[in-house]
Every structure is written in structure tokens, then in C-alpha cells.
Amino acid sequence: MLQSDMTTTMFPLVLSLLCYSLVAVQAQRNYIYNFSPYVSPTTVLLNYEKMVENFKVFVYKPNSAQLKFASTVESLFYSSLHNSTYLTQDPEEAHLFFLPFSSDLSTRALARVLSRIRNDFPYWNRTLGADHFYLSRVGIPLERDRNLVELKKNAVQISCFPTPNDKFVPHKDITLPPVPDPHVLLQRVPARSLVNDNETWRGEEFLCAMKHTNDASWIGEALRVGCVPVVVTEEPLNDMPFMDVLRCREMAVFVRSVGGVTRALGDTWRERHERMRKLGVAASTHFQWNQPPLPFDAFNTIMYQLWLRRHTVRYAMVQ
């Protein structure tokens, strides 16, 4: 009877402790999620460490001795990759394969480059290019040539932000965050000048308006100094840098017109602003380009996105 009484007495206590532990764990997860800029805050650091330790990329021999790129950020990415520890001389240990070619290469010449790689190496045919990636400032257009169709459909395209919607495939392609232009001044606009005048708002509640088709080189700097970017675009925004890594829509405001800012912010702006600002500051490191690259900067975050795409479908070879 005594043991039975003790069991009866202890059971509610154990149950209460278990419930308390579950609540505490959930509260911790909620805290991490609410104050982390990452889409997957509980796994990003572990995956990043695995990437740094294991990721290997094989680079094919360029089509010319001197590659020509149409933008500074493309050259910066290529030089960073060329001097990184991610490169391997053994294609058998590579997770992904990089196709280097000049920006001014014609589509016909590019098709010949791909044909050579298909015939000289076995790696393209294993996946029809799904484990390959390439640089293209404005993206590759749709073409009828088989090699270019596979390049556009399967390979990961790394282009410059912004990229035309018809030349960007969401969830596959990646955009490079722009290099800040020292000649473009960042204009910090008080929030009350864009929405209803409310003098009770703090003066440091700033927004930074931009148009999707205009220069976007200051977006990383805007996040760093605590501005909340307002992105004005009439088209679906699928090519924002790091959209599969960072919670971009929770640190920036996206509207179809400047007149839609008030409606987008709503009555909860004051409560949301501080959280959006902190998320933006925390995420700003990923938009910074460094020479040599630093952990979690723009180059290494691009590599992290590629690392997440290393699991590819092995297509059957086309006879």
C-alpha cells in the first residue's frame, strides 16, 4: 500500500515536470525563431560547419585564358572561389562542378563549350547538369539547343540581383548580393514621412525605399545601419539574395507602389519595426563582400546555398 501510495503521489509530479520541460523547450525554440534571421535557425550553424569541412567543387578548364565578366560582383565571386579551400583537383570527390565562361560568350559558342564537356567528361551526363553551376549576370534565355536547354533547366544559375523573372528559376537559381556602390548615398527616410504622420514614433524608426529595377547596391548597408528596406516591385520577388537562408520578408517591406506602404505596415508597425530592424542587422553580415572572404559573408553564404543544392536527382542518360 505504501508503494502504491507513493506511486500515486509521484505520478502527478513527474507529469508536471515533463510538461514544464516541454513548455520550456518550446519557449526556447520560439525565442530562437523569433530573434534569428535564418529560415532554419536550429540547423543552419551545423550545416554551415559541415559545408566548410567537406564541400568540394571541381572547376572545368575555362573556354579562354582570360575570363571576362560583365560585373564586379561576378569577378569577385570567381576570384574568391578560385582562391578558396572548396576547390578540388579530383572530380571524383566533387559535390558540384563549376562551368566557367565569359559573359560575352554567344549562345552558339556556349553550346559548343557544353558539348565539349559532355563528350570529354562523364559528369554532365550523370545528372544532365543538375550538379553543375555557372555565372551569368542577367541569366540564360530559353534556347532550343539541347545543351542550353539542360543548362537552363537543370544547372544552378548564379546571376546578379535583380534578375528578370523569365531568366530566373526559383528554388534552383541563386542571385549574388550587390557590391555597395561608394558613389550611391544611402538615404534614411523617417517612417512617419512614408506613412501617416505620428509624432509619437521614435525618430530612429527609418525606412529605405528602393525599386526592384533600380540600383540595389545599398541594401546590405541599409540592413547594417538598422534601416528597414522597402522594396517597390510590381512583379513577384523571387530573386532576392539568400531567400532560402534568410527570412527576408520579416526584415523588409515589399509593396507594389509607394502608396501601398501604409497598408503594408498596418497598425502594428511600431511593434514590428524593432524586431525587423534587429533581424536585418543580424542578417547584414551575409551581404558583405570581403577579400579574403570571412565566415558567413556574401561569398560563403553563396557557397552555403550551393551546398544545400548538392543533393541532386540522378537523371537517366539520354541515348
Side-chain angles (χ1 to χ4, degrees), residues 117-143:
I117 288 175
R118 179 194 296 278
N119 294 326
D120 294 350
F121 299 89
Y123 311 109
W124 181 274
N125 288 325
R126 291 190 314 187
T127 65
L128 301 185
D131 54 0
H132 289 58
F133 66 99
Y134 62 95
L135 281 172
S136 176
R137 185 176 68 87
V138 296
I140 297 294
L142 292 174
E143 298 287 346

Side-chain angles (χ1 to χ4, degrees), residues 195 230 253-255 257 259-269 272:
V195 298
V230 176
V253 179
F254 300 89
V255 294
S257 65
V261 174
T262 301
R263 183 171 58 256
L265 298 182
D267 298 331
T268 61
W269 167 246
R272 293 164 50 209

